[in-house]
């Protein structure tokens, strides 16, 4: 095993080739160089969570069949909100800190998602999509500078190149050809294949596009055809001796494929070195938690909420009505089980009790609600066996910790329900038949019909449980103006039961206010 001294020497040698003033010259990044500096545990976790929040929404967008242009807009907004990464010309922002956090977050998530083929596949797809969106949205001059950094300057190749002679800039670019796998063709090559290149390009134009007047002004790059399978499949390139001749308008396909290939190889390499972290008890639990991020997204403010976000309080008498109109399926099922059996087992009481507390149920109202619900139990038994636990969840007993409600991720992964239990996530823990029956029973009066079930079941079978819950929210709140892909606000997916209920209550308030304004007007 490499000693600490050897690692320190290797790090210094590696850093010596990186100019300090050019540590993060571009917003775009192939992440070829790992973070070779000290990172605190707090940075380690927060940078990863910020990035994972965006990647999880990208995966949710695919599961929800969001159109590409809508996805670009949505992901860009999510990045501005959770994970800003401004261009080099931006003013009044700390660009270096933004790019450093982007760098750290990417590498931490490599550690979390390298451990299985399914995690690697999902991570690569989400990361490649994020890179594509950033590439499309980047400033054109900065994007060109980034491309030049990958391959060397190419904008003078056809002006100064003659025969086999190249200028100094292109010699530097030539040194990187083996790494990038693509190179600009010479003018002689263009003259030889001009008709074929023009025909390939014009075949991609729509009838409304102007004809190509000066084809020699467009750069072309040659690359092994296996590097651009999407362009070959669509017949958008000219092929010759195993090489695809790609016009500059399609250069992004080469870049995206290269990013994906590099990341896939890097994840396998990371997997080989992962056992070295097994002895670090600080990092492994964090990585285990992060690797669950695609399962149910990453909750934000609801993750630590211990009381109602808007300060509203609810009473025990209000819960029956609220459950029928505003609760997600997991909490609706717990409520109906409680009403039917007059009892819930420990994990069911814990999941439902914490949800009600954060929803706005005070300790006094909680005791009244649970006492009334456990109507088959005598007062002495209730006080001895249940009252203490209720007060404990409010931080009034034991170590006096004020517990937050469980997020979708915690419900999906912890305390798996048995046959007689009522807690858990119905989208994951119910059979398909029981799920469909339950959905129609609970939400048919809110607009959900059997016609919606195939779409929801398809999402569930793909393992996107929180996306299925989000789709049910959209369907059942269509009367309040919620459309498909609106989610629970700003396109976001459900990641917490209280997030679902709070947004439902908010929409009801907004609708009532609009009705009052109309009646007064």
């Amino acid at each position: 095993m490499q000693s600490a001294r050897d690692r320190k020497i290797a790090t210094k040698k590696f850093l010596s080739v990186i100019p300090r003033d050019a540590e993060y010259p571009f917003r775009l990044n192939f992440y070829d160089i790992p973070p070779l500096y000290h990172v605190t545990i707090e940075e380690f976790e927060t940078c990863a969570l910020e990035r994972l929040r965006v990647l999880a929404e990208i995966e949710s967008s695919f599961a929800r069949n969001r159109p590409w242009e809508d996805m670009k807009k949505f992901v860009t907004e999510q990045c501005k909100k959770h994970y800003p990464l401004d261009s080099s010309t931006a003013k009044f922002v700390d660009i270096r800190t933004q790019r450093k956090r982007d760098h750290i977050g990417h590498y931490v998530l490599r550690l979390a998602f390298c451990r299985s083929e399914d995690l690697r596949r999902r991570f690569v797809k989400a990361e490649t999509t994020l890179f594509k969106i950033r590439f499309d949205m980047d400033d054109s001059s900065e994007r060109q500078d980034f491309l030049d950094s990958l391959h060397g300057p190419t904008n003078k190749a056809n002006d100064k190149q003659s025969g086999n002679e190249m200028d100094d800039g292109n010699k530097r670019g030539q040194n990187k050809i083996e790494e990038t796998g693509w190179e600009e063709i010479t003018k002689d090559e263009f003259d030889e294949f001009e008709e074929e290149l023009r025909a390939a390009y014009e075949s991609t134009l729509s009838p409304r596009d102007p004809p190509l007047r000066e084809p020699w002004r467009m750069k072309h790059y040659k690359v092994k055809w296996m590097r651009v399978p999407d362009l070959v499949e669509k017949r958008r390139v000219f092929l010759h001796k195993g090489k695809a001749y790609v016009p500059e308008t399609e250069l992004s396909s080469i870049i995206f494929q290269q990013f994906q290939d590099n990341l896939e190889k890097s994840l396998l390499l990371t997997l080989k070195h992962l056992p070295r972290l097994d002895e670090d008890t600080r990092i492994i639990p964090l990585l285990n938690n992060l690797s669950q991020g695609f399962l149910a997204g990453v909750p934000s403010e609801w993750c630590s909420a211990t009381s109602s976000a808007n300060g509203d309080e609810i009473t025990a008498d209000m819960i029956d009505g609220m459950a029928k109109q505003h609760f997600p399926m997991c909490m609706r099922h717990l409520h109906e089980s409680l009403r039917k059996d007059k009892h819930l087992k420990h994990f069911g009481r814990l999941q439902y009790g914490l949800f009600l507390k954060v929803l706005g149920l005070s300790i006094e109202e909680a005791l009244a609600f649970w006492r009334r619900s456990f109507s088959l139990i005598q007062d002495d038994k209730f006080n001895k066996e249940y009252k203490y636990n209720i007060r404990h969840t409010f931080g009034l007993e034991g170590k006096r910790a004020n517990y937050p409600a469980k997020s979708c991720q915690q419900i999906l992964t912890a305390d798996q329900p048995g046959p007689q239990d009522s807690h858990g996530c119905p989208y994951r823990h119910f059979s398909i038949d029981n799920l469909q029956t339950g959905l129609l029973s609970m939400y048919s009066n809110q607009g959900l019909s059997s016609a919606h079930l195939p779409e929801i079941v398809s999402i569930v079978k793909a393992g996107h449980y929180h996306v299925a819950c989000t789709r049910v929210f959209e369907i059942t709140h269509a009367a309040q103006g919620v459309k498909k892909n609106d989610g629970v606000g700003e396109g976001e997916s459900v990641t917490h039961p209280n997030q679902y209920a709070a947004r439902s209550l908010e929409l009801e308030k907004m609708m009532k206010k609009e009705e009052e304004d109309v009646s007064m007007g």
Side-chain angles (χ1 to χ4, degrees), residues 179-432:
E179 298 177 17
T180 60
W182 51 278
E183 61 177 311
E184 185 178 353
I185 68 172
T186 65
K187 189 174 186 307
D188 289 342
E189 286 179 292
F190 189 94
D191 291 341
E192 182 180 356
F193 302 118
E194 180 176 352
E195 292 301 320
E196 292 86 347
L197 295 175
R198 183 185 182 107
Y201 178 78
E202 290 184 340
S203 68
T204 67
L205 301 176
S206 69
R208 285 179 284 183
D209 289 329
L212 189 64
R213 296 180 179 177
E214 298 178 322
W216 56 87
R217 292 188 180 275
M218 175 174 289
K219 301 184 185 73
H220 282 73
Y221 303 87
K222 60 182 179 181
V223 62
K224 291 181 179 179
W225 71 269
M226 293 180 291
R227 298 291 299 274
V228 285
D230 56 327
L231 298 181
V232 174
E233 180 183 11
K234 297 174 184 177
R235 300 186 178 185
R236 299 175 72 91
V237 291
F238 166 61
L239 297 178
H240 180 69
K241 293 184 177 180
K243 297 281 188 178
Y245 287 68
V246 183
E248 62 179 321
T249 53
E250 303 285 357
L251 182 60
S252 58
S253 291
I254 302 177
I255 305 301
F256 300 156
Q257 188 64 43
Q258 184 182 336
F259 179 89
Q260 181 175 320
D261 292 345
N262 289 357
L263 184 54
E264 288 172 349
K265 293 175 184 176
S266 297
L267 287 173
L268 292 174
L269 185 61
T270 303
L271 178 63
K272 292 180 180 179
H273 294 285
L274 194 63
R276 297 184 183 182
L277 295 177
D278 287 345
E279 298 178 0
D280 196 324
T281 56
R282 303 167 303 166
I283 293 178
I284 293 301
L286 291 177
L287 297 180
N288 290 338
N289 182 58
L290 289 169
S291 66
Q292 302 292 334
F294 282 157
L295 187 63
V298 182
S300 51
E301 70 275 8
W302 294 106
C303 189
S304 57
T306 57
S307 61
S308 175
N310 54 18
D312 292 343
E313 289 191 3
I314 61 174
T315 65
D317 295 332
M318 297 167 61
I319 295 177
D320 281 336
M322 292 177 68
K324 294 177 181 179
Q325 295 295 322
H326 305 295
F327 285 10
M329 192 176 185
C330 55
M331 300 305 165
R332 182 86 177 263
H333 175 63
L334 282 167
H335 184 78
E336 293 184 359
S337 297
L338 177 61
R339 286 289 176 256
K340 181 182 69 173
D341 301 329
K342 312 298 183 185
H343 185 265
L344 282 178
K345 290 190 175 182
H346 171 71
F347 289 119
R349 297 196 304 274
L350 184 63
Q351 180 176 321
Y352 193 39
L354 291 173
F355 167 80
L356 292 175
K357 182 187 77 165
V358 174
L359 195 63
L361 194 68
S362 67
I363 178 60
E364 293 80 11
E365 291 293 330
L367 288 169
F369 170 77
W370 288 106
R371 182 65 195 94
R372 191 182 307 166
S373 299
F374 284 21
S375 58
L376 301 180
I377 295 175
Q378 298 298 321
D379 285 345
D380 287 347
K381 184 174 182 180
F382 180 83
N383 291 334
K384 288 179 182 178
E385 298 183 16
Y386 300 105
K387 186 175 181 179
Y388 176 89
N389 287 335
I390 295 169
R391 288 175 55 81
H392 189 275
T393 59
F394 279 81
L396 301 176
E397 301 288 354
K399 63 180 181 179
R400 301 186 181 277
N402 198 4
Y403 296 96
K406 292 182 178 292
S407 67
C408 292
Q409 185 181 121
Q410 292 171 314
I411 292 171
L412 284 163
T413 58
D415 307 320
Q416 298 300 295
Q420 304 302 317
D421 290 319
S422 301
H423 68 281
C425 172
Y427 298 99
R428 181 174 192 179
H429 300 125
F430 279 19
S431 68
I432 294 299

Side-chain angles (χ1 to χ4, degrees), residues 52-279:
L52 182 57
R53 187 167 285 116
V54 174
L55 297 183
E57 287 293 353
I58 289 175
E59 175 157 287
S60 297
S61 294
F62 279 116
R64 293 159 70 179
N65 295 317
R66 187 175 261 135
W68 174 247
E69 290 301 322
D70 290 350
M71 185 189 293
K72 279 173 57 177
K73 181 180 178 182
F74 171 65
V75 172
T76 300
E77 291 172 351
Q78 290 295 302
C79 286
K80 289 179 181 178
K81 181 178 179 181
H82 300 296
Y83 207 58
L85 195 66
D86 293 301
S87 66
S88 299
T89 56
K91 297 180 180 179
F92 311 114
V93 293
D94 189 346
I95 295 172
R96 184 184 180 280
T97 297
Q98 287 183 350
R99 295 177 182 180
K100 180 181 178 182
R101 294 181 70 82
D102 174 75
H103 193 202
I104 295 170
H106 173 84
Y107 269 91
V108 174
L109 293 184
R110 280 193 188 184
L111 294 172
F113 287 95
C114 71
R115 294 181 285 180
S116 74
E117 184 177 351
D118 179 61
L119 288 176
R120 290 193 296 273
R121 176 184 57 79
R122 296 167 78 171
F123 179 66
V124 168
K125 183 177 181 180
E127 278 283 352
T128 303
T129 302
L130 178 60
F131 181 83
K132 288 180 179 179
I133 292 170
R134 286 177 171 175
F135 187 93
D136 287 350
M137 303 299 290
D138 202 13
D139 179 82
S140 58
S141 61
E142 288 189 34
R143 182 169 57 224
Q144 186 58 52
D145 289 341
F146 171 73
L147 294 177
D148 289 345
S149 75
L150 293 178
H151 191 271
T154 59
N155 58 343
K156 299 179 182 179
N158 286 340
D159 294 336
K160 294 188 176 183
Q161 198 163 10
S162 176
N164 294 324
E165 297 180 0
M166 295 186 294
D167 64 6
D168 292 340
N170 284 286
K171 287 179 181 178
R172 289 192 297 272
Q174 188 68 28
N175 293 332
K176 297 186 180 181
I177 286 174
E178 292 184 3
E179 298 177 17
T180 60
W182 51 278
E183 61 177 311
E184 185 178 353
I185 68 172
T186 65
K187 189 174 186 307
D188 289 342
E189 286 179 292
F190 189 94
D191 291 341
E192 182 180 356
F193 302 118
E194 180 176 352
E195 292 301 320
E196 292 86 347
L197 295 175
R198 183 185 182 107
Y201 178 78
E202 290 184 340
S203 68
T204 67
L205 301 176
S206 69
R208 285 179 284 183
D209 289 329
L212 189 64
R213 296 180 179 177
E214 298 178 322
W216 56 87
R217 292 188 180 275
M218 175 174 289
K219 301 184 185 73
H220 282 73
Y221 303 87
K222 60 182 179 181
V223 62
K224 291 181 179 179
W225 71 269
M226 293 180 291
R227 298 291 299 274
V228 285
D230 56 327
L231 298 181
V232 174
E233 180 183 11
K234 297 174 184 177
R235 300 186 178 185
R236 299 175 72 91
V237 291
F238 166 61
L239 297 178
H240 180 69
K241 293 184 177 180
K243 297 281 188 178
Y245 287 68
V246 183
E248 62 179 321
T249 53
E250 303 285 357
L251 182 60
S252 58
S253 291
I254 302 177
I255 305 301
F256 300 156
Q257 188 64 43
Q258 184 182 336
F259 179 89
Q260 181 175 320
D261 292 345
N262 289 357
L263 184 54
E264 288 172 349
K265 293 175 184 176
S266 297
L267 287 173
L268 292 174
L269 185 61
T270 303
L271 178 63
K272 292 180 180 179
H273 294 285
L274 194 63
R276 297 184 183 182
L277 295 177
D278 287 345
E279 298 178 0

Side-chain angles (χ1 to χ4, degrees), residues 18-26 33:
I18 310 172
R20 294 299 299 170
D21 60 347
E23 189 177 5
Y24 299 110
F26 313 109
I33 302 172

